[in-house]
């Protein structure tokens, strides 16, 4: 049965007839275009019927069937909806923000580096040299001893006393210096 309407206005009865005749195939077609998302397909079907209601000439009896027009409108609506979704940034969804990765605060790191630099400047040159080798360059006690030309025991004791002095100068960082 083909839909043939001769009025210049679309009535509820006309749309109900179009829905009965073409609703199932139109929904199936749009469901495939929406990658199986039934909610989106239903929205597109409804929007297609709104367009049919707004354009009674499309339902005119001059056409053999209204189905090609409905499918064309539905396909164009699906394309427009997909383009609109792709042009927006991805939605966050149900991600809990407390578990989200936090980027390091560079200002805080810079301030800490300045504090440490000022504190290290207060040390004696011998203590500073040991800290430079062991902590900043990552040398072992034996490597630092060879580089500085002092016994390994002296490297250990100077590192101990240097860190103790830094703990006094940097009380807020005491846990980090252990």
């Amino acid at each position: 049965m083909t839909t043939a309407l001769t009025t210049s206005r679309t009535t509820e009865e006309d749309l109900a007839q179009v829905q009965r005749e073409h609703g199932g195939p139109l929904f199936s077609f749009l469901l495939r275009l929406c990658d199986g998302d039934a909610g989106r397909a239903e929205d597109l079907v409804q929007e297609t019927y709104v367009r049919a209601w707004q354009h009674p000439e499309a339902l005119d009896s001059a056409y053999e069937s209204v189905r090609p027009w409905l499918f064309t409108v539905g396909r164009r609506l699906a394309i427009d909806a997909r383009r609109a979704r792709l042009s927006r940034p991805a939605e966050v969804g149900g991600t809990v923000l407390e578990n989200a990765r936090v980027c390091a605060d560079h200002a805080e790191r810079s301030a800490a580096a300045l504090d440490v630099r000022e504190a290290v400047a207060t040390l004696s040159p011998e203590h500073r040299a040991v800290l430079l080798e062991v902590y900043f360059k990552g040398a072992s006690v034996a490597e630092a001893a060879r580089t500085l030309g002092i016994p390994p025991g002296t490297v250990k004791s100077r590192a101990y006393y240097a860190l103790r002095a830094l703990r006094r100068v940097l009380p807020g960082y005491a846990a980090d210096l252990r």
Side-chain angles (χ1 to χ4, degrees):
M1 175 177 173
T2 60
T3 305
L5 305 173
T6 56
T7 61
S8 63
R9 279 187 35 173
T10 305
T11 65
E12 286 182 39
E13 187 178 308
D14 296 335
L15 280 178
Q17 177 65 27
V18 168
Q19 199 281 328
R20 280 190 299 275
E21 270 187 55
H22 307 287
L26 179 62
F27 176 76
S28 297
F29 173 69
L30 292 174
L31 187 63
R32 284 191 306 272
L33 292 180
C34 293
D35 299 323
D37 187 340
R40 263 192 275 171
E42 289 172 2
D43 290 344
L44 292 173
V45 167
Q46 292 301 315
E47 184 62 29
T48 303
Y49 290 145
V50 168
R51 300 290 169 91
W53 178 68
Q54 292 171 338
H55 296 278
E57 69 277 4
L59 307 178
D60 191 15
S61 63
Y63 299 107
E64 187 175 316
S65 175
V66 73
R67 187 174 287 186
W69 185 87
L70 290 171
F71 275 50
T72 300
V73 169
R75 184 176 65 78
R76 289 180 179 166
L77 289 170
I79 291 169
D80 291 346
R82 177 169 287 188
R83 285 180 181 158
R85 269 192 326 278
L86 294 176
S87 70
R88 290 188 298 249
E91 295 180 11
V92 174
T95 305
V96 179
L97 293 179
E98 290 123 19
N99 298 334
R101 231 178 75 189
V102 178
C103 295
D105 184 5
H106 298 291
E108 193 172 309
R109 277 183 59 196
S110 296
L114 287 174
D115 289 345
V116 170
R117 187 174 293 174
E118 288 175 6
V120 168
T122 65
L123 297 175
S124 69
E126 294 83 13
H127 288 133
R128 225 179 337 204
V130 168
L131 286 184
L132 177 69
E133 290 297 321
V134 174
Y135 288 98
F136 295 108
K137 292 184 179 177
S140 69
V141 172
E143 292 168 340
R146 263 194 312 275
T147 303
L148 297 172
I150 57 177
T154 305
V155 170
K156 289 180 185 177
S157 68
R158 285 184 185 172
Y160 170 79
Y161 287 110
L163 289 177
R164 197 167 108 181
L166 288 178
R167 279 190 204 102
R168 280 194 306 268
V169 177
L170 298 169
Y173 299 96
D176 297 334
L177 296 173
R178 292 184 184 180

